[in-house]
Amino acid sequence: MAKAIVTKAHGGWGTPLEIEAEGKKKKVVCMTGIGIHPIAVKIAEIIGGEAVDGFRKPVPDAETACVIVNCGGSLRLGMFPKKNIKTINLNPIGPSGPFAAFVKEGLYVSGSGPDNVTEG
């Protein structure tokens, strides 16, 4: 199966993330409050997964390939990295907030959009 490579955008933070569908982990979960973002659709297409609005349809961690957030620097930014789930933040924010210690390179990238996703 193909993998998606997600890089930070100008002003963003983090090293590229490699996203793959592994076992049950085939869902690209959008936790933005604005439905399914185009970056989630693009990642899902590349990995052969499914883009899901996580606010409307909660997805178990065991089925999550990665999460898309639009956090300005508080809870969602670090909540998923704490659970070792690869996280893409639409906002160009580095480690901050109560879970900043869990926001690590290789697990989190920010400022990303559809143009920052390639097939690897």
Side-chain angles (χ1 to χ4, degrees):
M1 190 62 59
K3 64 180 156 186
I5 308 296
V6 184
T7 59
K8 67 181 177 181
H10 179 73
W13 188 91
T15 56
L17 298 183
E18 293 184 0
I19 312 294
E20 297 179 83
E22 301 178 72
K24 292 182 180 181
K25 293 185 178 226
K26 296 181 181 182
K27 302 224 168 90
V28 178
V29 182
C30 222
M31 298 296 293
T32 61
I34 55 173
I36 298 173
H37 192 275
I39 192 172
V41 173
K42 187 168 184 179
I43 293 168
E45 286 175 355
I46 291 171
I47 70 170
E50 177 186 358
V52 178
D53 180 342
F55 283 120
R56 292 182 183 252
K57 181 181 175 188
V59 176
D61 293 348
E63 297 177 17
T64 303
C66 68
V67 175
I68 314 299
V69 300
N70 60 342
C71 182
S74 58
L75 188 60
R76 283 176 293 141
L77 176 148
M79 180 171 65
F80 298 104
K82 181 179 181 192
K83 297 194 244 179
N84 207 34
I85 296 173
K86 292 180 180 179
T87 304
I88 297 110
N89 193 348
L90 302 174
N91 296 329
I93 306 293
S96 64
F99 293 115
F102 300 102
V103 177
K104 300 186 185 301
E105 301 222 0
L107 196 55
Y108 173 90
V109 68
S110 70
S112 306
D115 291 342
N116 299 99
V117 180
T118 57
E119 189 171 340

